[in-house]
Amino acid sequence: MPVNLTAPDPASLLPVAGLELGTAQAGIRKANRRDVLLARLAPGTTAAGVFTRNRFCAAPVQICREHLALNQGVRALVVNTGNANAGTGAQGLSAARDTCAAVARLMGCEPSQVLPFSTGVILEQLPVDRLVAGLPQALADLKPANWAQAAEAIMTTDTLPKAFSRRVQVGGAQAVVTGMSKGAGMIRPNMGTMLGFVATDAAVPQELLQQWVREAADASFNRITIDGDTSTNDSFVLLATGAGGMRVDSAASAQGQALREAIVEVARLLAQAIVRDGEGATKFITVQIEGAGNAREADAVAYAIAHSPLIKTAFFASDPNLGRILCAIGYAGIDDLDQTKIDLYLGDVHVARQGGRHPDYLEEDGQRVMKEAEITVRAVLNRGSAATTVWTCDLSHDYVSINADYRS
Amino acid sequence: MPVNLTAPDPASLLPVAGLELGTAQAGIRKANRRDVLLARLAPGTTAAGVFTRNRFCAAPVQICREHLALNQGVRALVVNTGNANAGTGAQGLSAARDTCAAVARLMGCEPSQVLPFSTGVILEQLPVDRLVAGLPQALADLKPANWAQAAEAIMTTDTLPKAFSRRVQVGGAQAVVTGMSKGAGMIRPNMGTMLGFVATDAAVPQELLQQWVREAADASFNRITIDGDTSTNDSFVLLATGAGGMRVDSAASAQGQALREAIVEVARLLAQAIVRDGEGATKFITVQIEGAGNAREADAVAYAIAHSPLIKTAFFASDPNLGRILCAIGYAGIDDLDQTKIDLYLGDVHVARQGGRHPDYLEEDGQRVMKEAEITVRAVLNRGSAATTVWTCDLSHDYVSINADYRS
């Protein structure tokens, strides 16, 4: 049961001029399931991406990086679910290249103008023939209004599609920002979620788009974790078709600021949606660290808390076993941490002061907060002024069930 | 259900001359449970310890370090379960000092000659009055033959007591090595398990004992992980009473070598027993990394595999979803890892070669190994000559149940 997340109302998803989406049932892993997504982009579209830092990155991630580096423009995206095309060696790279070539033939563009994405099982060869055979169906389905269908086609263990839109208006110019994401497990994006796409019909220069994709990732997909496993396939791509009326020349302009804000907001909603739909999730947890000596410390403490199976099972049980949080702060790797300076809050409840149980802390107050579906943990280290926020979920029986049975 | 672990036969646990053990029901957290252990040591006993690197270390860990640093000899250990005396601030430190003072009065020694240990719930004050009130009962119970009872008294979520003995004979001199441990969750000892004690009746100089306790920890308690949570209370103490016939003067002597080997073996058995009895464990997993560039790399890859919830749930399900292992190798933090050089083996099955699925790998071969109760994962990085071994267990529904309900 996702935490405070529902399927997007298709009417709420604004088409992005210059971007059409089409899906197909290619039978990549299972029959009768839309498992291929094709996106056609108007000439002149700029694109920028950030990708997994996993050194065992999938073949399509390698090809995406290569094609973006060539900087010959992006005219199409192709996404398949059911197979990650990771751990597939040279054959996997060929499969990804063959996929791009097939899309290029259908679209009338260069293979290097196609970005491929895969998600699903690792260590099995991509059935590229079936994928290619499904492309004409996706091509025939291309429509700007297909965001809801597209968001559904890229799901794996997701229980709900994830997509959001924002409209930006500055003076007389309008722009649309619409995005979708997928992912529910193997999520500790150091980079993007498993897959995230955000598009705008504004015109944005390549360099600015590259800056924004990093900033948006750092404020969204890089701030979430479900199980600490950084996937082989994480990809987050930002697209600007330029087919709408807004032209952004600099980040500092009024239009630039407004558009950037909308892009970051959509990315953050998409990232949080992944946590809300995390495998087996019953709680949405916000971990805030304040007073850290530097950003690295703040992140280390936040992720130690967000990754601890002991803390995550306590959230699942609504058990205010909060010593486990102090324990995680202690092993986060700050060598000169002074435990007697630490404050811990659960929601509005002051749990620990100077590293010890607050004299006024009552178990029933902790219990009250733990029963909520959205919980904020706040730790103040009193070492400096760095702060961070990370979003995660609890660890439930269903997480084990889902991952024990994923391939069956 | 522990994996290939049974309760020790009391007759197999050899008493250590110069060391007596006694237990009591003090009602620390629950009634009618032996929750206090007292150990009396002969004058002249040498002791050395390694303790958690968690900066939120418990009050008794701070006192142990302080007393060992004073180097006035150790005459007694006192252990309580049911309460970790961690996250308890200044009051917790007073409670640990008061405990040592009470033991010292009963034993006729100095408080600084007493080492205190606590394990249990964090962030609750230790009921020191009940603990002290239970000490006379433990004192009256002191016997050299009480190892089985002692190993049971220090259990928390353990399902079985853990204790092993070895006899060492070199020339005409004999020595005994007996040890016990406890721990089942919050286990990623960077140091010791939650609690581990190994004693010998040989005489060993303090400096040598200090060297051996580190070496033994590095070969045992520092090589295991259950859930990646390094506890606030991890302690491993090595004791040499000198009350037997063997006198060891150097590590290089025949006696020194034989005794060290027995100590390391007992420590390893105790550490592995903790994994075998890991919360909810159904599989005992050995992770071997070979061909790493250095020891740090080898450990990083081993722990990435051993901590991945995705890998651990796949083991629970006996599902050879082995791409998850390649994924973990990829995010272990080796920046210049070349995935095309990696070999992966599951038991005797060659799963991946040059980073891709081995052409001869059959799912049924992986499935056969995954169904075994003891499984070895071996990854060869082909970067250098460093190697390491880490022991862990799977992640099951019972882990979630146990930790969701721990305090109730």
Side-chain angles (χ1 to χ4, degrees):
Chain A
M1 272 287 289
V3 185
N4 296 336
L5 181 72
T6 53
D9 175 3
S12 74
L13 300 176
L14 307 172
V16 176
L19 169 55
E20 301 159 278
L21 298 158
T23 62
Q25 296 185 357
I28 299 291
R29 185 171 183 83
K30 293 181 180 172
N32 304 315
R33 192 203 174 295
R34 295 192 169 268
D35 51 8
V36 167
L37 167 66
L38 198 59
R40 181 160 60 192
L41 295 152
T45 294
T46 50
V50 285
F51 299 91
T52 184
R53 284 187 198 141
N54 193 313
R55 299 299 152 179
F56 226 103
C57 69
V61 169
Q62 297 176 59
I63 302 295
C64 273
R65 287 196 176 112
E66 184 181 309
H67 287 184
L68 283 170
L70 290 171
N71 207 15
Q72 300 174 334
V74 174
R75 300 294 307 280
L77 313 183
V78 56
V79 187
N80 74 272
T81 64
N83 186 303
N85 194 4
T88 46
Q91 189 179 338
L93 280 169
S94 294
R97 287 192 203 285
D98 291 349
T99 303
C100 292
V103 170
R105 277 193 303 275
L106 288 171
M107 296 277 197
C109 66
E110 295 299 314
S112 60
Q113 294 178 308
V114 180
L115 299 183
F117 305 86
S118 297
T119 174
V121 176
I122 303 174
L123 206 61
E124 294 186 11
Q125 293 298 340
L126 181 71
V128 66
D129 293 347
R130 294 206 291 278
L131 199 172
V132 168
L135 291 175
Q137 185 191 347
L139 187 76
D141 186 47
L142 285 173
K143 282 192 282 291
N146 265 347
W147 279 94
Q149 294 87 332
E152 193 163 343
I154 62 173
M155 289 165 54
T156 52
T157 57
D158 307 60
T159 68
L160 286 173
K162 301 164 182 70
F164 297 92
S165 279
R166 285 294 180 270
R167 197 185 296 277
V168 180
Q169 179 139 16
V170 180
Q174 279 203 4
V176 160
V177 177
T178 299
M180 62 183 160
S181 65
K182 63 80 50 185
M186 199 178 271
I187 299 289
R188 189 265 159 92
N190 213 334
M191 190 48 25
T193 168
M194 287 190 72
L195 298 178
F197 304 99
V198 174
T200 177
D201 58 356
V204 183
Q206 171 66 29
E207 280 171 30
L208 186 53
L209 209 64
Q210 187 64 47
Q211 174 188 329
W212 282 357
V213 77
R214 293 200 175 279
E215 291 173 0
D218 283 342
S220 61
F221 299 107
N222 282 352
R223 306 246 65 81
I224 65 171
T225 184
I226 289 174
D227 46 23
D229 283 71
T230 301
S231 142
T232 48
N233 292 57
D234 295 341
S235 305
F236 170 46
V237 170
L238 184 56
L239 302 159
T241 66
M246 186 182 287
R247 304 200 69 81
V248 173
D249 296 318
S250 79
S253 68
Q255 294 184 346
Q257 289 179 25
L259 187 63
R260 180 188 179 283
E261 191 178 314
I263 289 168
V264 169
E265 186 184 0
V266 168
R268 190 175 61 238
L269 288 168
L270 291 171
Q272 290 180 343
I274 286 173
V275 173
R276 293 179 186 284
D277 196 18
E279 288 172 345
T282 74
K283 304 274 174 76
F284 180 84
I285 316 290
T286 300
V287 181
Q288 293 181 345
I289 308 300
E290 298 172 14
N294 54 53
R296 192 200 56 75
E297 275 185 17
D299 276 355
V301 172
Y303 280 110
I305 294 170
H307 286 151
S308 161
L310 286 169
I311 294 171
K312 290 161 93 85
T313 47
F315 278 120
F316 169 56
S318 299
D319 177 9
N321 194 338
L322 303 169
R324 292 176 176 178
I325 299 177
L326 296 181
C327 176
I329 296 170
Y331 67 65
I334 304 181
D335 283 343
D336 60 346
L337 184 75
D338 181 352
Q339 63 167 274
T340 68
K341 289 193 172 167
I342 292 170
D343 284 281
L344 178 68
Y345 299 80
L346 186 73
D348 58 349
V349 178
H350 198 163
V351 174
R353 189 177 65 178
Q354 298 175 344
R357 186 184 174 119
H358 192 292
D360 297 339
Y361 171 65
L362 295 175
E363 178 93 2
E364 63 203 60
D365 292 332
Q367 184 69 66
R368 171 177 56 75
V369 178
M370 287 300 267
K371 284 184 176 160
E372 295 169 5
E374 309 225 356
I375 300 171
T376 297
V377 173
R378 187 159 68 94
V380 186
L381 307 186
N382 290 308
R383 294 167 57 82
S385 59
T388 195
T389 299
V390 164
W391 299 291
T392 190
C393 59
D394 56 336
L395 173 60
S396 71
H397 282 295
D398 282 353
Y399 178 87
V400 177
S401 296
I402 291 164
N403 283 297
D405 302 338
Y406 175 47
R407 302 198 313 165
S408 52
Chain B
M1 272 286 291
V3 185
N4 296 336
L5 181 72
T6 52
D9 174 2
S12 75
L13 299 176
L14 307 172
V16 175
L19 169 56
E20 301 159 278
L21 298 157
T23 63
Q25 296 186 357
I28 299 292
R29 185 169 184 84
K30 294 182 178 170
N32 304 317
R33 192 204 173 294
R34 296 192 168 268
D35 52 9
V36 167
L37 167 66
L38 198 59
R40 181 161 60 192
L41 294 153
T45 294
T46 50
V50 284
F51 299 92
T52 184
R53 284 186 197 141
N54 193 312
R55 300 298 152 178
F56 227 103
C57 69
V61 168
Q62 297 177 58
I63 303 294
C64 273
R65 287 196 177 112
E66 184 181 309
H67 287 184
L68 282 170
L70 290 171
N71 207 13
Q72 299 176 334
V74 173
R75 301 294 308 280
L77 313 182
V78 56
V79 187
N80 73 272
T81 64
N83 186 301
N85 194 5
T88 46
Q91 190 179 336
L93 279 169
S94 295
R97 287 191 202 287
D98 290 349
T99 304
C100 292
V103 171
R105 277 193 302 275
L106 288 171
M107 295 277 198
C109 67
E110 294 300 314
S112 60
Q113 296 177 307
V114 180
L115 300 183
F117 306 86
S118 297
T119 175
V121 176
I122 303 174
L123 207 61
E124 295 186 9
Q125 293 297 341
L126 181 71
V128 66
D129 293 347
R130 295 206 291 278
L131 200 173
V132 168
L135 291 175
Q137 185 192 345
L139 188 75
D141 185 46
L142 285 173
K143 283 192 281 290
N146 264 347
W147 279 94
Q149 295 87 334
E152 192 163 344
I154 62 174
M155 288 165 55
T156 51
T157 57
D158 308 60
T159 68
L160 287 173
K162 300 163 183 71
F164 297 91
S165 278
R166 285 294 181 270
R167 196 185 295 276
V168 180
Q169 179 139 16
V170 179
Q174 280 203 2
V176 159
V177 176
T178 299
M180 62 184 160
S181 65
K182 65 79 50 185
M186 199 177 272
I187 299 289
R188 190 265 160 96
N190 212 332
M191 193 43 30
T193 167
M194 288 190 72
L195 298 178
F197 304 99
V198 173
T200 178
D201 59 354
V204 183
Q206 171 66 30
E207 280 170 29
L208 187 53
L209 209 65
Q210 188 64 48
Q211 175 189 328
W212 282 357
V213 77
R214 294 201 174 277
E215 291 173 359
D218 282 342
S220 61
F221 300 107
N222 282 351
R223 305 247 65 81
I224 64 171
T225 184
I226 289 173
D227 46 22
D229 282 74
T230 302
S231 142
T232 48
N233 291 59
D234 295 340
S235 304
F236 171 46
V237 170
L238 183 57
L239 302 159
T241 67
M246 187 182 287
R247 305 199 70 80
V248 174
D249 295 318
S250 79
S253 67
Q255 294 183 348
Q257 289 181 23
L259 187 63
R260 180 188 178 283
E261 190 178 314
I263 289 168
V264 169
E265 186 185 359
V266 168
R268 193 175 59 237
L269 288 168
L270 291 170
Q272 291 180 341
I274 286 173
V275 174
R276 293 179 186 284
D277 196 19
E279 287 172 347
T282 74
K283 304 274 174 76
F284 181 84
I285 316 291
T286 300
V287 181
Q288 292 180 345
I289 308 300
E290 297 172 14
N294 53 52
R296 192 201 57 74
E297 276 185 15
D299 276 355
V301 173
Y303 279 110
I305 294 171
H307 286 150
S308 161
L310 286 169
I311 294 171
K312 291 160 92 85
T313 47
F315 278 120
F316 169 56
S318 300
D319 178 9
N321 194 337
L322 303 170
R324 292 175 177 180
I325 298 177
L326 295 181
C327 176
I329 295 170
Y331 67 67
I334 304 181
D335 283 343
D336 60 348
L337 184 74
D338 180 352
Q339 61 168 275
T340 68
K341 290 194 172 166
I342 292 170
D343 285 282
L344 178 68
Y345 299 81
L346 186 73
D348 57 349
V349 179
H350 197 164
V351 173
R353 189 177 65 177
Q354 296 176 344
R357 185 184 175 119
H358 193 291
D360 297 337
Y361 172 65
L362 296 176
E363 178 93 1
E364 63 203 60
D365 292 332
Q367 184 69 66
R368 172 177 55 76
V369 178
M370 287 300 267
K371 283 184 176 159
E372 294 170 6
E374 309 226 354
I375 299 171
T376 297
V377 172
R378 186 158 69 94
V380 185
L381 307 185
N382 290 308
R383 292 167 57 83
S385 59
T388 195
T389 299
V390 163
W391 299 289
T392 191
C393 58
D394 56 334
L395 173 59
S396 71
H397 282 295
D398 282 352
Y399 178 88
V400 177
S401 296
I402 292 165
N403 282 297
D405 302 338
Y406 176 50
R407 302 197 315 164
S408 53

